[in-house]
Amino acid sequence: MPTRNATAATPPLAGRKDGIAVVRRAGYDDIALYSAPQQRCAVDLSDNVNLWGAPPSALVAVRTTIEESVSRYPVAYEPALRNALARHAGVAPEMIVAGCGSDDVLDSAMRAFAEPGDTVCLPAPSFSMIPVFARVNGLVPVAVPLTLQLDADVERMLETRARITYLCSPNNPTGQPFSPQAVERIIDGAAGLVIIDQAYAEFGGESFTRLVMSRRPVLVTRTMSKAFGLAGLRVGYGIGSPDVIGEILKVRGPYRISAPAEAGAIAVLTNDQSWVTERVAEVVANRARFSRELALSGFSPVPSAANFVLVPVENSTALSAKLHDAGIGVRALRALPGIGDALRIGIGPWHLMQRCLDALARAA
Ligand code: PMP
């Protein structure tokens, strides 16, 4: 209890800043929330998900497990899911960490392997959340422009001596894979952990899973949000040596995957891989056809190994607004290093791609 005198001498709120200003982290001042469109278009090609929907086995598994699973905690560190992912990736279960989307694995890895003030080196342009994950963890993102061939600039990335080096292959938003030579040279020369984000690996480019057993610390991240059609369940995973995975599990904690999400993911991995492979084959065929049609209409799409195509345009904001009015959602990107303005367009069933081509022809 304060004495009567002390209370009189220091009025409780005199001279105090407003509450949030006192407790807010200085480094968070100019971090904005992710801006995703709140209203979906009739044809939404903006976020690179599986445009055929979810695999039937996942829907059945979520429905049938929901009643028994919602009132209990899942099994800590989800061993059944890690086993299924390990079989799929061809590695041992202790080389797998699952997360609430691969976002969560990337964010946890930054906390696990870097101290506040350390550097995270990334290519530019690349996945827009990486600088955000770096900054919310007190790290300093350093972006190194891609080469003219849209590959990683090995020398300049290595010069940063970063505690964490992030690569993305195939890269979002260019759609191009990084060359194995560039990836291997970065792993050889990097000062700290190398993360290779392979969210789109099912659609093309080389798998870099073999590199996690090199003697250098390497983490490959993958997701069930794209080829596997489970973006709403939020399941991603990392593949690394047991030592690397052990550190990330410390950060991530025991209960990050909900029980229904775990059941849905296991069902696809066990029973529906052919559904996934067939959809991937359709993406690859439609991607080639869509790129050909775009070229015939005078666009110069960047050759893609992912489930989207990057199309340089003059004014992406204006063009995407016109497409939006026509019911087609695409991602407008402004002033990308070495590319300029561009639209990133997701690839799905052909009737959707045709609607996009028709709307582009009217809008451009
Ligand atoms: N990496 C890349 C390159 C991405 O494009 C995305 C999603 N757009 C993610 C990671 C995160 O996906 P998720 O959290 O759904 O696994």
Side-chain angles (χ1 to χ4, degrees):
M1 271 296 270
T3 63
R4 182 183 293 252
N5 278 349
T7 311
T10 4
L13 296 177
R16 293 253 320 253
K17 288 194 207 157
D18 112 271
I20 187 69
V22 174
V23 293
R24 187 160 57 194
R25 285 174 69 144
Y28 278 31
D29 280 355
D30 57 350
I31 296 179
L33 295 188
Y34 183 68
S35 85
Q38 297 299 304
Q39 281 188 329
R40 292 245 163 96
C41 284
V43 176
D44 185 357
L45 310 177
S46 68
D47 53 10
N48 311 337
V49 292
N50 190 320
L51 292 162
W52 285 264
S57 63
L59 299 177
V60 172
V62 170
R63 275 192 212 109
T64 53
T65 53
I66 198 114
E67 287 199 14
E68 75 199 45
S69 69
V70 285
S71 64
R72 315 209 39 189
Y73 281 103
V75 181
Y77 301 108
E78 59 288 327
L81 176 59
R82 288 175 80 193
N83 279 331
L85 289 168
R87 267 195 307 278
H88 173 64
V91 299
E94 52 281 11
M95 296 175 67
I96 297 285
V97 52
C100 177
S102 52
D103 276 351
D104 183 30
V105 180
L106 293 162
D107 177 48
S108 300
M110 289 200 195
R111 252 190 321 290
F113 286 99
E115 307 281 354
D118 282 342
T119 300
V120 176
C121 176
L122 68 149
S126 195
F127 181 34
S128 61
M129 288 305 292
I130 296 303
V132 179
F133 293 146
R135 291 175 59 210
V136 296
N137 287 303
L139 309 175
V140 182
V142 175
V144 173
L146 295 172
T147 64
L148 289 177
Q149 294 73 37
L150 303 181
D151 205 354
D153 189 332
V154 177
E155 303 310 329
R156 286 195 56 202
M157 290 190 88
L158 290 179
E159 272 165 21
T160 65
R161 308 306 298 150
R163 184 75 173 249
I164 294 182
T165 302
Y166 170 88
L167 302 171
C168 183
S169 182
N171 188 32
N172 177 8
T174 59
Q176 293 243 324
F178 290 156
S179 66
Q181 295 82 343
V183 173
E184 283 167 25
R185 281 174 59 210
I186 286 175
I187 290 173
D188 277 348
L193 178 76
V194 177
I195 300 177
I196 312 170
D197 180 340
Q198 296 226 271
Y200 301 98
E202 288 84 358
F203 304 102
E206 192 167 317
S207 161
F208 290 118
T209 300
R210 65 187 160 80
L211 298 177
V212 302
M213 284 323 274
S214 63
R215 287 213 302 279
R216 313 280 313 148
V218 175
L219 175 74
V220 167
T221 57
R222 296 255 194 156
T223 184
M224 304 205 68
S225 301
K226 311 295 180 184
F228 283 81
L230 301 183
L233 288 188
R234 311 301 301 124
V235 182
Y237 59 105
I239 310 168
S241 69
D243 290 349
V244 166
I245 296 302
E247 294 307 300
I248 299 173
L249 283 172
K250 289 181 193 169
V251 174
R252 196 219 67 157
Y255 301 121
R256 202 59 146 252
I257 312 285
S258 76
E262 183 180 10
I266 291 174
V268 194
L269 289 163
T270 327
N271 304 321
D272 242 355
Q273 295 256 6
S274 56
W275 184 94
V276 175
T277 326
E278 284 159 24
R279 299 293 89 74
V280 167
E282 283 185 74
V283 165
V284 171
N286 290 352
R287 179 177 76 200
R289 184 172 170 197
F290 186 64
S291 301
R292 262 195 320 271
E293 296 281 341
L294 285 171
L296 288 175
S297 312
F299 294 99
S300 305
V302 177
S304 172
N307 66 342
F308 56 83
V309 171
L310 188 72
V311 189
V313 295
E314 223 154 71
N315 182 336
S316 57
T317 313
L319 187 50
S320 73
K322 284 190 196 166
L323 292 177
H324 188 274
D325 291 345
I328 314 284
V330 300
R331 184 60 55 94
L333 298 159
R334 305 270 307 157
L336 297 175
I339 295 169
D341 272 20
L343 300 180
R344 195 193 62 197
I345 305 178
I347 302 291
W350 185 254
H351 69 277
L352 301 184
M353 305 324 297
Q354 189 60 56
R355 282 179 66 178
C356 179
L357 287 169
D358 295 344
L360 265 174
R362 282 193 299 273

